[in-house]
Amino acid sequence: MGMTEWLERGLIIPSNKYLSGRISNFIGYMRLKFRKNVAVGKKCLVSPLSRVNPRTGKISVMDNCVIAPYAVIQGNVSLGNHCSVNAFSMLVGYGTAEDDVGKITVGDDVRIAAHVMIIAANHIYEDPEKKICEQGLERKSITIGDDVWIGGNASILAGATIGKGAVVAAGAVVTKDVPPYSVVAGVPAKVIKMRARREEAT
């Protein structure tokens, strides 16, 4: 067991309950604070075991976010306030700081469960005479609205927009836009029901 695992007491969600956890989160937070092209807000809990790197883009993490051990955030990615990215999830954005086609934009109060994949590009493969690895990537931005819950092992493919208040079921593969306040499931993901809006439920 490494020093970081010991400090985190084996917890999969960063916590300030114990002094050791506060030390671990401080280390993780400061790593982001001083990384070039990364902006991190106040009161974020960041595991040092996470992998956060803007590559050629920019990463923005707003206030009160939680980034768990082994979560991966790479490239052009923006997280709103009070978001959580759980263990082994991957958010991979593309583009540069000046060209944000391929950016992943996440709203406020979004919950991303473990083992979620959100990748904002696809391999080009149309030419059978060329190797796929030689045909480049097609970048498409991904937008996730406020108050969204993405269940474990779900995949969000390039170009998708997930509307405010939506729920993506565990294991779903989102290939197209998800309406606000809908619940989607399956491969490919389809709407299985709508959530009642507050004004409709009263």
Side-chain angles (χ1 to χ4, degrees):
M1 178 185 289
M3 176 60 71
T4 300
E5 289 93 338
W6 181 82
L7 287 171
E8 293 183 331
R9 293 175 173 246
L11 294 173
I12 206 67
I13 299 293
S15 171
N16 276 340
K17 183 176 181 181
Y18 306 103
L19 175 60
S20 59
R22 292 194 289 273
I23 294 171
S24 178
N25 291 324
F26 178 77
I27 294 169
Y29 181 86
M30 295 308 289
R31 284 179 62 202
L32 298 195
K33 192 75 173 175
F34 291 100
R35 186 181 288 275
K36 185 179 179 181
N37 289 334
V38 174
V40 58
K42 301 175 182 177
K43 298 182 180 179
C44 292
L45 303 182
V46 181
S47 170
L49 293 172
S50 60
R51 296 290 180 265
V52 180
N53 191 319
R55 302 194 297 193
T56 59
K58 291 182 178 180
I59 291 176
S60 173
V61 180
M62 299 299 286
D63 298 343
N64 298 295
C65 287
V66 176
I67 302 175
Y70 311 110
V72 175
I73 302 175
Q74 306 270 306
N76 271 335
V77 179
S78 174
L79 293 179
N81 294 289
H82 203 246
C83 293
S84 62
V85 181
N86 278 279
F88 302 103
S89 285
M90 295 185 66
L91 283 70
V92 181
Y94 288 83
T96 66
E98 294 75 29
D99 174 14
D100 63 0
V101 175
K103 181 178 181 179
I104 298 172
T105 302
V106 180
D108 297 335
D109 304 301
V110 172
R111 294 292 173 266
I112 299 173
H115 294 277
V116 169
M117 291 188 64
I118 305 174
I119 312 292
N122 287 312
H123 285 282
I124 299 170
Y125 59 86
E126 278 73 15
D127 186 351
E129 303 301 319
K130 293 179 66 176
K131 296 176 183 177
I132 293 173
C133 64
E134 295 175 349
Q135 296 186 51
L137 296 171
E138 181 182 21
R139 296 179 286 148
K140 293 183 179 180
S141 299
I142 295 172
T143 301
I144 300 172
D146 297 341
D147 190 31
V148 168
W149 175 26
I150 303 175
N153 290 291
S155 296
I156 314 298
L157 302 190
T161 293
I162 300 179
K164 179 179 180 179
V167 175
V168 177
V173 177
V174 176
T175 61
K176 59 184 181 180
D177 292 354
V178 173
Y181 298 99
S182 64
V183 179
V184 298
V187 182
K190 297 179 180 179
V191 176
I192 59 173
K193 66 178 181 179
M194 299 296 295
R195 296 178 62 203
R197 303 282 294 276
R198 285 191 179 94
E199 58 268 26
E200 296 170 355
T202 55

